[in-house]
Amino acid sequence: MSVQSVDTLVIGAGPTGLGAAKRLHQLNQGTWALIDSAPEAGGLASTDITDEGFLFDVGGHVIFSHYAYFDDVIHEALPKDGDWYEHQRVSYVRSKNVWVPYPYQNNISVLPVDDQVKAIEGMIDAAEVRVRAKDAPQNFDEWIMRMMGQGIADLFMRPYNFKVWAVPTTDMQCKWLGERVAAPSLKLVVSNTLNKKVAGNWGPNATFKFPAEGGTGGIWKAVAKTLPAEKLLFKKTVSKVDAAAHTVHLSDGGSIKYKHLITTMGLDYLIDNLDGAQEDIKTLQTAKPDLIYSSTHVIGIGIRGVLPPRIGDKCWLYFPEDDCPFYRATIFSNYSPNNCPQEGVKLPGLQYADPSKGKPDSEPQAGPYWSLMMEVSESHLKPVDMQTILEETIRGCVATELMKPDDVIVSTYHRKFTPGYPTPSLKRDEALAKILPVLADKYDIYSRGRFGSWKYEVGNQDHSFMLGVEAVDRALYGSPEMTLTSPDFVNGRRNTERRLQ
Ligand SMILES: Cc1cc2nc3c(=O)[nH]c(=O)nc-3n(C[C@H](O)[C@H](O)[C@H](O)COP(=O)(O)OP(=O)(O)OC[C@H]3O[C@@H](n4cnc5c(N)ncnc54)[C@H](O)[C@@H]3O)c2cc1C
């Protein structure tokens, strides 16, 4: 179907674009359409399936909603109890060859004594620094040193954050952490340590839900189905935005005119492919280099056997040390049994976790099966070898006891996502303050979403969806966009302003 002109055009059918589309559909004000280069909805919140039938998301996706409107929408899309599994958040940090319950600093009693001493000494120093400090910390590293001190910085925060962000903590700002993150209680840490106590990690009712079918991508395909199919146009790639003419050009030669444009493409891509007044393009191009990202490799492993009790209760795990390339592993088969093939499905063994054990029987055999999903970051400061990262990851799984050497692997998955994480770099906010107002105020272009507005702290699925919803309200009614402008505010409370009905 071809559309030549609409009042509001949405680019992208990830959570942000679907949020915009949902709001446009609900408000029923003027004409609209949504276009995406992909064949279906989901964006980075999609799910792949291997030839053997194992599902893998784009890394660990857990919903922690701050908005009643978002809850309404996903409930409408997947309304039945059987559509979801509910899980306790059980999360650990692998440190010094033991599992330290999250949050790390409250559970240092499980570490060797000399590390406990380093951690507590550092926290005492940090408390003194906080009392004396006259100004706010200038970067993430200073923030870590003031909040946690040298011991925990070196044991966990610095190495872990380099593995996640692929830039040093000195190159990152700390405003994105928000005012809500309090320093750990020194009293609690010391008493837990002396009493050899392990503190519960997320509080008594910390649960999350995960779709029974189709992984995280199943949510967004279901949300897309609640929208009029004729307004969702897939396999349409935007090659140019003529801002002055309010026209989007497509790679198939087509074009669409709009009054308001809500784009969720990468902001860097938009800037590189924008036509507008010369001085505006210059402003945008000058600010663009301060938008920094890392890539994310997602590596999935399907394993034959029963999920071992040593990791059976765990959801996701953090890895600060260099005995494995990944920063996080998710026990993905724990989220839904449908993330693996059924037990009766017969699959050949591909390899043992430790290949030096020889070759497993290649005759297809029945399950049961379980699965692991790992994330590895990449940047120019932290290169990753595409050819060897799968092998390194499997080796890391054995080194960290996620797998045993004689576990039989029946399926593997590796995909690189570029970009994966929008880096809260030192100059990010300055760059966004130059770019976003020019686009919105001069050209009616609302660039929003994980890479549309480049703010990690409001880059989860619920935030992204609401960035789209709020962009529509801004474009049509001039309403303020709380998620974009006040991340601390939206993250600190439950937003019940908008409802679906
Ligand atoms: C590793 C990782 C872990 C995450 N973990 C969590 C989590 O635990 N919890 C959580 O809630 N969220 C998580 N997220 C975030 C979640 O995936 C994002 O919130 C969400 O996908 C961002 O939505 P978006 O619509 O802004 O962007 P995207 O999902 O990137 O969607 C953008 C869409 O635009 C389309 N597009 C791009 N360029 C063009 C073009 N030129 N023409 C046409 N179409 C185009 C793309 O095809 C895509 O569909 C995670 C993300 C990653 C990468």
Side-chain angles (χ1 to χ4, degrees):
M1 153 163 189
S2 93
V3 173
Q4 268 104 42
S5 173
V6 283
D7 291 327
T8 308
L9 181 64
V10 180
I11 304 174
T16 309
L18 290 173
K22 192 77 200 172
R23 189 66 169 163
L24 286 162
H25 182 54
Q26 180 190 17
L27 295 172
N28 197 18
Q29 290 262 318
T31 56
W32 65 272
L34 177 153
I35 51 177
D36 196 304
S37 50
E40 57 187 0
L44 284 169
S46 294
T47 302
D48 285 341
I49 178 160
T50 67
D51 291 346
E52 295 82 15
F54 288 84
L55 271 60
F56 293 107
D57 283 354
V58 184
H61 271 72
V62 166
I63 289 181
F64 178 58
S65 169
H66 299 84
Y67 309 89
Y69 188 86
F70 175 84
D71 300 342
D72 288 348
V73 168
I74 61 167
H75 177 73
E76 179 202 51
L78 294 172
K80 298 193 291 291
D81 281 349
D83 288 333
W84 299 94
Y85 283 99
E86 186 132 337
H87 301 287
Q88 290 285 334
R89 296 166 170 229
V90 181
S91 169
Y92 288 79
V93 178
R94 181 79 180 172
S95 182
K96 304 283 173 170
N97 293 324
V98 291
W99 297 114
V100 183
Y102 191 85
Y104 187 84
Q105 61 276 9
N106 289 354
N107 294 299
I108 56 171
S109 64
V110 304
L111 293 176
V113 171
D114 53 342
D115 290 320
Q116 295 178 14
V117 172
K118 273 185 219 152
I120 291 174
E121 281 179 353
M123 283 171 142
I124 294 169
D125 291 341
E128 285 175 10
V129 172
R130 280 200 301 280
V131 170
R132 282 200 306 271
K134 295 210 167 38
D135 50 2
Q138 297 303 300
N139 60 45
F140 188 25
D141 201 76
E142 276 185 35
W143 184 92
I144 292 169
M145 287 297 284
R146 276 195 210 178
M147 294 299 230
M148 320 236 167
Q150 182 90 38
I152 287 180
D154 290 344
L155 283 163
F156 177 50
M157 291 299 280
R158 281 177 178 147
Y160 174 71
N161 279 292
F162 184 71
K163 275 177 107 176
V164 174
W165 295 103
V167 294
T169 43
T170 43
D171 289 359
M172 293 172 66
Q173 56 153 293
C174 53
K175 278 187 238 114
W176 64 282
L177 293 152
E179 289 144 16
R180 69 196 181 282
V181 185
S185 157
L186 193 47
K187 269 190 198 169
L188 180 77
V189 171
V190 172
S191 76
N192 279 354
T193 309
L194 292 176
N195 291 317
K196 303 206 179 323
K197 197 173 151 199
V198 176
N201 52 21
W202 298 95
N205 299 317
T207 58
F208 68 98
K209 56 185 199 167
F210 192 84
E213 304 281 346
T216 290
I219 303 172
W220 299 106
K221 283 185 192 167
V223 170
K225 279 204 189 122
T226 67
L227 293 163
E230 70 282 4
K231 294 191 176 181
L232 307 184
L233 312 174
F234 291 101
K235 298 190 195 167
K236 299 245 171 244
T237 301
V238 173
S239 53
K240 195 107 211 143
V241 176
D242 187 337
H246 281 220
T247 301
V248 154
H249 295 283
L250 305 174
S251 59
D252 63 8
S255 60
I256 305 176
K257 272 184 87 61
Y258 59 82
K259 281 189 197 145
H260 316 289
L261 180 66
I262 297 173
T263 158
T264 72
M265 305 184 294
L267 186 50
D268 48 353
Y269 178 89
L270 173 68
I271 292 172
D272 284 343
N273 293 284
L274 191 78
D275 277 343
Q278 223 173 4
E279 81 259 21
D280 294 332
I281 301 297
K282 198 171 156 210
T283 305
L284 303 183
Q285 281 291 353
T286 312
K288 194 190 75 165
D290 292 324
L291 300 175
I292 295 166
Y293 64 83
S294 58
S295 298
T296 306
H297 294 257
V298 179
I299 295 132
I301 317 275
I303 304 142
R304 181 162 35 238
V306 179
L307 180 64
R310 67 179 184 279
I311 51 169
D313 64 331
K314 299 178 172 64
C315 298
W316 67 92
L317 305 160
Y318 301 111
F319 296 86
E321 296 175 0
D322 57 10
D323 51 357
C324 62
F326 43 89
Y327 58 86
R328 182 162 62 175
T330 300
I331 322 295
F332 202 50
S333 49
N334 268 351
Y335 286 14
S336 165
N338 301 319
N339 289 347
C340 287
Q342 299 298 303
E343 188 167 345
V345 174
K346 289 188 176 176
L347 294 172
L350 299 178
Q351 69 164 86
Y352 286 114
D354 176 357
S356 73
K357 298 249 158 217
K359 270 267 183 204
D361 190 351
S362 60
E363 194 61 34
Q365 289 173 32
Y369 302 102
W370 60 285
S371 63
L372 291 168
M373 180 169 66
M374 273 66 63
E375 290 154 66
V376 177
S377 68
E378 179 180 347
S379 74
H380 70 287
L381 296 172
K382 184 175 170 293
V384 168
D385 186 336
M386 276 301 273
Q387 303 311 314
T388 58
I389 190 63
L390 173 62
E391 194 186 311
E392 290 168 46
T393 298
I394 295 173
R395 219 179 301 130
C397 288
V398 175
T400 56
E401 292 183 334
L402 287 173
M403 281 198 275
K404 291 283 182 211
D406 54 1
D407 277 338
V408 176
I409 295 173
V410 295
S411 183
T412 59
Y413 168 86
H414 173 205
R415 192 169 157 198
K416 178 178 171 181
F417 296 88
T418 299
Y421 272 56
T423 314
S425 58
L426 293 169
K427 293 193 177 163
R428 178 202 71 175
D429 293 346
E430 222 175 287
L432 290 175
K434 285 182 192 144
I435 297 168
L436 296 179
V438 170
L439 293 172
D441 300 342
K442 292 203 172 175
Y443 298 107
D444 235 327
I445 296 176
Y446 303 91
S447 181
R448 302 290 183 262
R450 187 169 174 97
F451 289 98
S453 41
W454 219 277
K455 286 191 176 177
Y456 173 78
E457 60 274 35
V458 281
N460 270 347
Q461 295 165 94
D462 62 319
H463 299 119
S464 299
F465 188 85
M466 293 308 294
L467 283 168
V469 170
E470 292 172 12
V472 167
D473 288 359
R474 158 100 182 264
L476 300 189
Y477 308 123
S479 310
E481 297 176 274
M482 296 311 289
T483 303
L484 180 73
T485 57
S486 308
D488 274 356
F489 178 75
V490 297
N491 284 331
R493 71 193 277 267
R494 223 182 122 63
N495 189 317
T496 52
E497 261 168 33
R498 287 179 194 75
R499 300 302 299 246
L500 190 56
Q501 302 298 335

